[in-house]
Amino acid sequence: MKRIGLALAGGAAVTVAMAAVTAGTADAGRSAGDDDGRAGASVTRIEFTEAVPLETDPSVTTNRRVEMFAEHRGDAVSRLRFVITFEGRTAEERLWRADRPESITSRNWESCTTGDEPTPAPKPDGLDVILRGYFGPREIPRDAKKVAGGANRWETPMGMMRMTYTDLGGPYPHRIVEIKGPDGSIGSTISGTRTSEHPAFPDWRPDWRSCRPSTAAG
């Protein structure tokens, strides 16, 4: 199983190719379905910090804030939006919809590009699927490997990656997650996770047409 969470969020541990076009196309992903209200649905907000080593200097890490907004009835998710913030600025937004489940629409505010890309399996069509993809199972599997650092640290394989979890004692998913490559090096670390109910499913950030590429993106 691919790590759906970071793939959908455009994370460093799992890079997904994006067929991007220029910002001049504007408003990619919007449709009448974004404004229909979806009476009776709830919105759950999941947020965390992801620390990622710099490619140019792995000894230095950068932190970005990831927010997920899942619109759902019970466990069934109808829409999932990501808002990724870096140094106080919106860096990227992503949207997955159950009525067009095969693709994810993204807007990169650093390069001012937008595009659709294939949804990695499994599709994020359930809250439990999303939570397991990021934070592992609620209960420690019997075959999980205990690792150094305390009784609450354990590890499971995820394809060619290894996932190390540190349970912090609070309700699930109150844990730290380390995503490691085949050589044991840490690709990214998830911490500071919070979940809450949100009053409404957020729209795209406004002013996309006025987006200007950053110097770093160029």
Side-chain angles (χ1 to χ4, degrees):
M1 182 179 72
K2 294 181 180 179
R3 184 169 180 74
I4 63 106
L6 291 181
L8 287 174
V14 178
T15 302
V16 182
M18 178 173 68
V21 293
T22 63
T25 58
D27 293 337
R30 279 195 64 92
S31 71
D34 283 334
D35 302 314
D36 63 9
R38 286 172 169 78
S42 300
V43 178
T44 295
R45 179 187 186 187
I46 306 166
E47 55 181 321
F48 58 84
T49 297
E50 183 186 18
V52 182
L54 285 176
E55 292 184 9
T56 54
D57 185 356
S59 66
V60 178
T61 60
T62 60
N63 294 324
R64 65 182 197 158
R65 195 69 182 165
V66 178
E67 295 176 280
M68 294 184 289
F69 300 88
E71 179 188 74
H72 59 98
R73 292 181 178 83
D75 184 66
V77 172
S78 51
R79 294 187 290 178
L80 179 64
R81 185 180 299 285
F82 294 85
V83 180
I84 302 163
T85 306
F86 179 68
E87 295 184 344
R89 303 185 306 273
T90 301
E92 188 174 4
E93 298 174 280
R94 288 179 166 235
L95 175 66
W96 178 87
R97 299 167 55 110
D99 59 1
R100 48 191 302 263
E102 302 303 324
S103 65
I104 307 158
T105 300
S106 66
R107 285 182 176 179
N108 188 312
W109 285 86
E110 296 179 330
S111 62
C112 297
T113 54
T114 182
D116 288 345
E117 58 194 50
T119 304
K123 293 180 178 64
D125 53 6
L127 276 178
D128 188 62
V129 172
I130 296 166
L131 291 170
R132 285 178 63 93
Y134 275 101
F135 309 108
R138 293 177 182 270
E139 304 296 332
I140 301 177
R142 291 184 179 181
D143 59 351
K145 177 184 176 182
K146 292 291 185 179
V147 295
N152 293 330
R153 279 176 57 82
W154 48 283
E155 183 177 273
T156 59
M158 181 76 73
M160 295 187 67
M161 297 182 294
R162 286 184 291 158
M163 318 303 295
T164 299
Y165 305 96
T166 303
D167 289 322
L168 300 176
Y172 178 83
H174 190 216
R175 57 177 51 150
I176 296 172
V177 183
E178 298 169 49
I179 301 98
K180 300 179 180 179
D183 62 353
S185 62
I186 296 178
S188 67
T189 302
I190 291 173
S191 63
T193 302
R194 292 186 295 176
T195 60
S196 60
E197 293 303 306
H198 201 66
F201 190 79
D203 203 347
W204 293 103
R205 174 186 156 184
D207 302 326
W208 175 248
R209 291 181 181 274
S210 62
C211 181
R212 296 293 179 268
S214 67
T215 304

